[in-house]
Amino acid sequence: MEMIQNIVEYYDELYPITESQKKFFNTLSTNYQDPVKFLRVGCGAGLFEHLLAREGKDVTGIEHSPELLRSANLRRRNQLMAIRFFQMSILDMTRFLGKGFYNVIYSLDSRVIFIHDKTLMRKFFFDCKQLISENGTLILSLYNFSLFSKGINELPVRESLRTKLFSYLSTKTDGQWVLDQEVETGNGKILPVLQKEEIYPLTPDEISLFAKEAGFTQVALYSDYDFSPFTGKEEKVIAVIR
């Protein structure tokens, strides 16, 4: 169950844009002619996408949450920017988006795990392969879920000056992984965000396997946006797939 409205006000400060993230994407952009065509899968409130569009990129964002999508569209001050947002399920991408169009497809902040089924997760990689241009890049940023075990796992707390986001990963009796989240507001009130939301904790090994199954030939794993090596012990993983 989702109560996304409880986090919309705080979304940008809980998922801020870092300087290393900007440099990471700028480095990747040099591989393509302008305007580089970006597709964000799970764009949230669209903060990063507006930054890319202001830098002259062609940006598309898809998001299933109407509350977050409304926030993303409210940012549009300049109608001349090449940016658009669609309310869309990840699983419907190839039905509505242009095949072979996007130079960079990316999903950040572990949003890809909401594809809650292994078969559907494999489909996601095949769908990205259809949508991506020749020599295009798929980027996934998520927690290193190989470090988690069955039972209850507490993910690192996200926090800002005004709020904290608590996340708990656990398994049901049938083995299905679920995610619970709650936000603590500035006055100390605890509000639910997700309750028993089914997820698929994609591991680094599976990223490499599923990518190659879908026809990608290169998978590079890093532990941060500074291109630091990923050894398997780090908290997060960033996959650059071509």
Side-chain angles (χ1 to χ4, degrees), residues 14 24 40 46 76 83 107 117 124 160 169 239:
L14 289 170
F24 179 90
R40 170 80 176 267
R76 297 194 64 181
I83 187 170
S107 181
D117 175 84
F124 166 74
S160 68
L169 195 67

Side-chain angles (χ1 to χ4, degrees), residues 139-156:
I139 302 166
L140 301 178
S141 171
L142 63 160
Y143 285 113
N144 177 10
F145 288 103
S146 65
L147 300 178
F148 297 95
S149 57
K150 298 283 186 178
I152 299 177
N153 301 267
E154 184 173 355
L155 297 179

Side-chain angles (χ1 to χ4, degrees), residues 164-168 180-184 190-194:
K164 294 181 180 180
L165 178 66
F166 302 94
S167 303
Y168 306 94
D180 289 89
Q181 288 186 323
E182 55 190 20
V183 65
E184 179 181 335
I190 303 294
L191 301 174
V193 178
L194 298 174

Side-chain angles (χ1 to χ4, degrees), residues 90-110:
I90 295 175
L91 302 177
D92 288 333
M93 294 191 303
T94 54
R95 292 179 57 197
F96 300 109
L97 301 178
K99 306 232 180 9
F101 182 77
Y102 301 98
N103 302 126
V104 180
I105 300 176
Y106 61 111
S107 181
L108 310 182
D109 304 317
S110 298

Side-chain angles (χ1 to χ4, degrees), residues 19-34:
E19 287 302 315
S20 58
Q21 180 181 337
K22 293 178 189 177
K23 291 178 182 177
F24 179 90
F25 278 86
N26 283 335
T27 298
L28 291 176
S29 295
T30 61
N31 295 317
Y32 309 103
Q33 292 184 340
D34 284 328

